[in-house]
Amino acid sequence: MAPPRDTFLPFALPDIGDEEITEVIEVIRSGWITTGPKVREFERQFAAYIGAGHAVAVNSCTAALHLALEAIGLGPGDRVVTTPYTFAATSEVIRYFQATPVFVDVEPYTLNIDPAHLDAVMPGARAVIPVHVAGAPCRLAEIQAIARRHGARVIEDAAHALPTRLDGKLIGSSSDVTCFSFYATKSLTTGEGGMLCTEDQALAERCRTMSLHGISRDAWKRYMADGSWYYEIVAPGYKYNLTDIAAALGLAQLRKVDAMWARRREIAGRYDQAFAGLAELQIPTQAPDQQHAWHLYMLRLHLELLRIDRAEFVTELKRRQIGASVHFIPLHTHPYYRETYGYRPEDLPVAWREYQREISLPLYSRMSDTDVDDVIAAVLDIVTAQCRR
Ligand SMILES: *Cc1c(COP(=O)(O)O)cnc(C)c1O
């Protein structure tokens, strides 16, 4: 084994600099730290960046997904079609309504929901929630057409998809609702946070109202004249508002979202170049008419050519001071979904197979060229040591 680097390279780190720190300090000094002018400004600038009609800032992508399903009137016993190849949030929000998640298998290359399986399960479904895994766009036009045919809504989980482009257009303005995440590891972070984009004003208003205790802003505005104490509760809402402190962080991050993406793309390009020629490794695929957001670099192992499995590969990377992760443990293989719905891993064979050979490498704009070299050297070192050739 080649000598490892001196310090551990974390799998993910936020790219926060003096711009963010200055913005946050300004808000703290201002005396207004919860939802206020910074949140409104962040919503305005985010909507403009995406090209979306309406943007509602919330405190997580999970909250955004929950509000979207509430706004379309999801209820007990309803069915929502989604992918198993995602994080817990995508499906748990369906269960909040006592509705049923219906998992369909994914495409082997992108790991995104496979539209070929949709028609069979769509009859009677209220919505479909696709995920743009790693930042590679799913086959949105096909999904939207199938959903429309079945009278179902499309709610995009775009937690990885900033900035993802499809036919030149940023993801975020073509479905009923698109939900973004600003969690610490995501491509724009506010610590915790999320944004919901929609072209439907009534839907945006419902989400906004429900994001803050079901308090109607219209009523509040109506009675503003005689003081701001009056409000009306129109539904039992939630406490999902974003703070101005977080929004200040978001505004500074938004200014550099393209620069951070360019750096991630550069790193992904170097990984591609280093790994493309090795039979033991499969690099991510990318179509020419698409812009990958490069939230994750998902490498896949040809296990039949290696003497170690994926878990051991992760351990070997760690021994070489490189943090790695795995995306995703398919939802249908987790105890809750197995026990509640009787899923077996093989029921969604592509998701199950690909999960077992996937490794996510560090990919973030703060990585130095040396960090990237170290990751490449570690991967090549392991492949050389463990290949069956
Ligand atoms: C991170 C993530 C979420 C949840 O985002 P939060 O902002 O943490 O709620 C949802 N879906 C996917 C695919 C994610 O990776």
Side-chain angles (χ1 to χ4, degrees):
M1 177 173 134
R5 48 185 273 140
D6 297 334
T7 56
F8 186 74
L9 180 71
F11 170 66
L13 277 179
D15 192 346
I16 291 173
D18 288 340
E19 318 88 287
E20 285 85 352
I21 292 166
T22 305
E23 285 263 8
V24 167
I25 288 172
E26 189 192 299
V27 167
I28 293 169
R29 288 199 202 284
S30 79
W32 191 280
I33 54 177
T34 187
T35 310
K38 287 289 177 188
V39 167
R40 294 292 97 85
E41 184 58 18
F42 185 36
E43 289 175 340
R44 199 186 61 72
Q45 290 192 20
F46 193 86
Y49 176 79
I50 294 292
H54 306 273
V56 179
V58 287
N59 59 16
S60 72
C61 180
T62 310
L65 291 163
H66 183 191
L67 291 170
L69 291 177
E70 197 282 333
I72 66 161
L74 196 71
D78 284 345
R79 293 162 66 253
V80 177
V81 176
T82 191
T83 168
Y85 218 88
T86 185
F87 182 60
T90 315
S91 177
E92 78 193 26
V93 292
I94 300 166
R95 293 298 298 136
Y96 291 178
F97 297 87
Q98 308 302 318
T100 305
V102 179
F103 298 122
V104 299
D105 211 353
V106 296
E107 301 176 312
Y109 289 103
T110 62
L111 303 174
N112 285 330
I113 198 163
D114 189 343
H117 301 308
L118 279 181
D119 255 323
V121 294
M122 283 306 291
R126 293 292 310 279
V128 50
I129 309 181
V131 179
H132 309 284
V133 177
C138 55
R139 283 156 63 186
L140 207 48
E142 284 167 73
I143 295 165
Q144 288 165 343
I146 295 167
R148 207 174 305 123
R149 205 155 63 231
H150 291 278
R153 305 293 198 110
V154 178
I155 295 166
E156 291 174 58
D157 179 338
H160 299 186
L162 186 71
T164 293
R165 283 177 197 272
L166 200 48
D167 299 321
K169 213 169 127 225
L170 280 172
I171 287 291
S173 64
S174 71
S175 291
D176 292 286
V177 185
T178 305
C179 303
F180 294 92
S181 173
F182 307 140
Y183 179 68
T185 60
K186 300 288 160 67
S187 59
L188 181 160
T189 186
T190 60
E192 298 280 358
M195 191 76 79
L196 179 157
C197 290
T198 179
E199 303 310 295
D200 181 334
Q201 185 172 352
L203 215 139
E205 279 309 315
R206 176 68 182 184
C207 291
R208 191 180 290 290
T209 299
M210 293 306 279
S211 74
L212 197 58
H213 305 296
I215 289 174
S216 164
R217 293 204 323 150
D218 291 344
W220 192 69
K221 270 185 264 169
R222 230 181 297 141
Y223 291 88
M224 233 358 209
D226 67 338
S228 55
W229 57 271
Y230 188 81
Y231 58 85
E232 284 178 355
I233 298 163
V234 298
Y238 309 101
K239 180 73 167 93
Y240 282 165
N241 56 305
L242 192 73
T243 67
D244 263 22
I245 298 174
L249 204 46
L251 281 164
Q253 288 265 290
L254 190 57
R255 288 198 290 273
K256 57 193 220 190
V257 74
D258 289 322
M260 292 190 290
W261 168 77
R263 175 61 180 154
R264 292 195 308 276
R265 183 182 61 164
E266 189 175 51
I267 296 167
R270 293 198 44 209
Y271 286 162
D272 281 352
Q273 209 172 10
F275 305 144
L278 290 171
E280 292 82 3
L281 304 176
Q282 178 186 317
I283 62 172
T285 41
Q286 197 187 1
D289 59 336
Q290 301 173 355
Q291 174 178 299
H292 197 303
W294 295 114
H295 166 54
L296 298 174
Y297 190 90
M298 299 173 83
L299 190 65
R300 273 172 279 175
L301 309 175
H302 286 292
L303 293 172
E304 68 283 5
L305 301 179
L306 291 165
R307 278 194 293 264
I308 53 173
D309 65 14
R310 184 268 315 281
E312 290 164 325
F313 206 105
V314 174
T315 306
E316 288 298 316
L317 281 170
K318 200 165 171 206
R319 280 180 64 207
R320 289 162 178 82
Q321 300 272 55
I322 306 295
S325 192
V326 170
H327 295 88
F328 284 96
I329 305 167
L331 292 183
H332 74 288
T333 69
H334 285 279
Y336 174 74
Y337 292 101
R338 275 198 334 251
E339 288 158 19
T340 308
Y341 300 105
Y343 279 112
R344 291 160 305 162
E346 320 77 68
D347 288 346
L348 302 164
V350 179
W352 176 236
R353 183 188 72 215
E354 296 305 312
Y355 150 67
Q356 292 174 78
R357 62 191 198 97
E358 193 279 338
I359 285 188
S360 300
L361 298 179
L363 178 60
Y364 45 99
S365 44
R366 262 181 67 187
M367 287 175 75
S368 69
D369 288 342
T370 310
D371 293 336
V372 180
D373 289 340
D374 289 343
V375 175
I376 291 171
V379 170
L380 297 181
D381 193 38
I382 297 167
V383 170
T384 306
Q386 303 295 342
C387 70
R388 288 186 184 279
R389 277 181 286 178

